[in-house]
């Protein structure tokens, strides 16, 4: 299908808000385009809503700074050499370094290592075997000209036409045209997880420098940046491991995908708000809610089903996780993720409907506000 160049920017913004993780089983940028932009790029004035987030604003700003704007962002995720996915493949299949660092210049290394240990211990107490999980950092600098990492990764994958050397040169030339070159945050903006295909290899959580940089510099989360990113990625891996039971035989893929995404949000928020986990309360929980909001898909709010949940549904899922972790009769126990899944499924439709009793108040707290009123976010909405 040929896409008119005049529509590329509009299509790009729509695809950005979908936040598909290129290369995973759930779809990639090119797979979305191939399925038909007409279905995704919907202009419905009657259903338009005021919906935007700091995340989408940041991605737009970063894309506009590229030499060729949105076209460069598309090329970065081109199926011939999807660069963010190549960086992941290097860390999963090629890299054997013993010492990991996290964040630009390794500034979050201590925080991620500490959070990893606490997350392992927390979910182990809930009956989850977390012993075969490792965490790695994704860095664009791993592909600089001073190493053979890019060539080794391309050789391992054995994909694409042409020689490894010529393809590596093409990729490096492209990266070196970007602002900050190998340190451009868009190269590692999406943290990822890798579920091992066998029992002897570890499952891997991959934290992108760009993801941490966004939360540090744009959201002013400071030392909380690593906590937010890591908690939600650990939750993502747990859901990948456990899978989701079918609610009904006729459940659509879009609805199932939305349950998957919102369950990740619930688990991440549950850990962060639990007294034995992140111990968040008050203002920290407000920031948590707004962070979840930022990852919502504004297309959902306009009536276009994408399977990601709109910002308010994402925030509602986070609030549900916080309430579950802080209820007086539950807060001293750590619930098994499967039990949380059962509870979540019971209230899934209420969360989608943004039921006030679910999203704004906890009935078990005498209908008092869930946490200190969230009057301002450290990562402000637009």
């Amino acid at each position: 299908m040929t896409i008119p160049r005049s529509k590329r920017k509009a299509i790009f913004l729509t695809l950005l808000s979908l936040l598909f993780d290129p290369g995973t089983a759930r779809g990639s940028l090119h797979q979305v385009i191939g399925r038909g932009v007409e279905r995704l790029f919907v202009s419905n004035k009657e259903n338009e809503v005021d919906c935007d987030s700091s995340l989408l604003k940041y991605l737009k700003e970063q894309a506009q700074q590229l030499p060729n704007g949105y076209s460069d962002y598309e090329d970065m995720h081109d199926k011939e050499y999807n660069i963010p996915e190549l960086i992941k493949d290097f860390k999963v299949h090629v890299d054997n370094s013993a010492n990991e660092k996290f964040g630009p210049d390794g500034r979050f290394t201590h925080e991620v290592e500490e959070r990893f240990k606490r997350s392992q211990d927390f979910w182990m107490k809930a009956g989850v075997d977390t012993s075969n999980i490792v965490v790695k950092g994704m860095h664009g600098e791993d592909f600089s000209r001073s190493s053979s990492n890019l060539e080794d990764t391309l050789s391992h994958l054995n994909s694409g036409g042409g020689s490894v050397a010529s393809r590596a040169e093409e990729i490096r030339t492209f990266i070196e045209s970007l602002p900050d070159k190998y340190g451009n945050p868009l190269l590692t903006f999406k943290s990822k997880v890798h579920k091992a295909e066998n029992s002897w290899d570890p499952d891997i959580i991959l934290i992108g420098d760009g993801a941490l940089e966004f939360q540090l510099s744009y959201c002013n989360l400071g030392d909380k940046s690593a906590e937010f990113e890591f908690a939600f990625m650990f939750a993502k891996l747990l859901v990948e491991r456990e899978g989701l039971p079918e609610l009904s035989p006729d459940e659509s893929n879009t609805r199932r995908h939305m349950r998957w995404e919102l369950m990740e949000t619930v688990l991440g928020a549950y850990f962060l708000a639990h007294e034995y986990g992140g111990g968040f309360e008050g203002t920290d929980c407000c920031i948590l809610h707004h962070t979840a909001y930022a990852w919502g898909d504004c297309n959902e709010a306009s009536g276009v089903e994408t399977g990601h949940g709109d910002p308010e549904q994402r925030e509602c899922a986070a609030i549900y996780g916080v309430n579950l972790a802080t209820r007086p009769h539950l807060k001293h126990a750590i619930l098994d993720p499967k039990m949380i899944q059962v509870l979540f499924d019971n209230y899934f439709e209420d969360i989608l409907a943004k039921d006030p009793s679910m999203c704004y108040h906890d009935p078990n707290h005498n209908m008092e506000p869930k946490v200190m009123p969230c009057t301002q976010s450290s990562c402000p909405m637009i």
Side-chain angles (χ1 to χ4, degrees):
M1 178 181 67
T2 301
I3 304 172
R5 193 171 184 83
S6 61
K7 289 187 176 181
R8 291 182 75 172
K9 178 175 179 179
I11 293 169
F12 169 79
L13 295 180
T14 302
L15 294 172
L16 268 186
S17 65
L18 292 176
L19 294 176
F20 273 92
D21 189 356
T24 66
R26 299 195 212 172
S28 67
L29 186 69
H30 276 264
Q31 288 170 340
V32 174
I33 292 176
R35 284 202 299 265
V37 172
E38 294 83 3
R39 182 179 67 84
L40 298 172
F41 182 52
V42 176
S43 179
N44 188 337
K45 295 297 182 181
E46 294 181 0
N47 292 334
E48 277 190 358
V49 295
D50 182 16
C51 176
D52 208 342
S53 73
S54 50
L55 173 72
L56 189 56
K57 180 181 179 182
Y58 178 80
L59 287 172
K60 291 176 183 177
E61 290 178 352
Q62 290 295 318
Q64 288 169 346
Q65 292 175 21
L66 300 177
N68 297 301
Y70 304 102
S71 176
D72 277 347
Y73 186 89
E74 292 179 354
D75 290 342
M76 186 184 299
H77 296 85
D78 187 272
K79 62 183 179 181
E80 291 299 322
Y81 55 78
N82 188 326
I83 299 175
E85 196 67 15
L86 283 176
I87 295 172
K88 171 192 173 182
D89 290 333
F90 165 71
K91 298 300 293 189
V92 171
H93 301 294
V94 179
D95 182 41
N96 293 315
S97 58
N99 298 317
E100 288 290 335
K101 65 175 184 177
F102 300 93
D105 303 318
R107 72 186 73 173
F108 289 112
T109 299
H110 174 75
E111 288 83 353
V112 170
E113 290 176 345
E114 191 278 334
R115 179 59 57 208
F116 178 52
K117 179 65 166 59
R118 181 177 290 189
S119 298
Q120 279 188 306
D121 293 344
F122 179 86
W123 292 113
M124 187 78 77
K125 291 174 183 176
V128 179
D129 182 8
T130 60
S131 60
N132 201 29
I133 299 175
V134 299
V135 58
K136 295 187 176 187
M138 292 191 298
H139 324 286
E141 289 85 353
D142 285 333
F143 283 171
S144 66
R145 290 187 182 276
S146 61
S147 75
S148 62
N149 293 337
L150 178 54
E151 287 84 352
D152 292 343
T153 304
L154 292 170
S155 296
H156 174 83
L157 296 175
N158 192 28
S159 61
S163 70
V164 166
S166 63
R167 294 186 66 229
E169 177 62 25
E170 183 181 0
I171 292 170
R172 285 200 179 98
T173 299
F174 175 82
I175 294 176
E176 290 171 3
S177 73
L178 305 176
D180 298 326
K181 301 181 180 180
Y182 298 95
N184 188 282
L186 290 178
L187 296 173
T188 53
F189 185 77
K190 287 280 287 181
S191 295
K192 303 170 185 286
V193 299
H194 172 78
K195 185 176 179 296
E197 297 179 357
N198 50 63
S199 59
W200 55 87
D201 286 331
D203 294 332
I204 305 173
I205 298 172
L206 301 114
I207 305 296
D209 284 354
L212 293 175
E213 179 66 23
F214 161 68
Q215 296 193 39
L216 173 68
S217 64
Y218 203 79
C219 299
N220 300 315
L221 293 181
D223 60 1
K224 291 286 192 296
S225 299
E227 294 195 56
F228 278 95
E229 188 68 18
F230 189 78
F232 283 106
M233 294 313 296
F234 206 103
K236 183 181 182 71
L237 179 58
L238 292 180
V239 176
E240 294 272 2
R241 282 176 144 200
E242 300 294 330
L244 286 177
E246 288 187 6
L247 285 183
S248 65
D250 58 349
E251 182 182 29
S252 69
N253 289 335
T254 300
R255 179 58 64 94
R256 182 176 175 81
H257 182 87
M258 186 179 296
R259 275 204 301 132
W260 191 299
E261 296 267 346
L262 295 184
M263 179 61 186
E264 292 169 2
T265 303
V266 169
L267 281 179
Y270 178 80
F271 167 80
L272 288 172
H274 201 286
E275 63 178 339
Y276 301 138
F280 280 21
E281 58 184 13
T283 302
D284 285 342
C285 281
C286 291
I287 299 173
L288 169 79
H289 301 157
H290 287 300
T291 301
Y293 179 102
W295 283 95
D297 184 352
C298 290
N299 287 280
E300 293 277 4
S302 298
V304 182
E305 292 188 358
T306 63
H308 291 266
D310 70 33
E312 290 183 353
Q313 289 169 333
R314 287 277 196 155
E315 184 178 33
C316 184
I319 292 169
Y320 177 74
V322 169
N323 285 335
L324 198 59
T326 56
R327 286 174 180 168
H329 63 290
L330 291 175
K331 68 178 184 179
H332 298 303
I334 301 177
L335 299 178
D336 183 292
K338 292 182 179 179
M339 176 58 70
I340 297 176
Q341 175 71 60
V342 171
L343 295 171
F344 166 72
D345 281 345
N346 287 337
Y347 293 105
F348 176 59
E349 295 297 334
D350 295 326
I351 291 173
L352 290 186
K354 307 165 195 174
D355 186 325
S357 67
M358 188 64 53
C359 303
Y360 302 102
H361 298 85
D362 182 0
N364 292 304
H365 285 116
N366 300 315
M367 299 302 289
E368 291 296 320
K370 60 196 180 300
V371 291
M372 187 178 74
C374 297
T375 57
Q376 182 177 1
S377 169
S378 290
C379 190
M381 299 304 102
I382 300 169

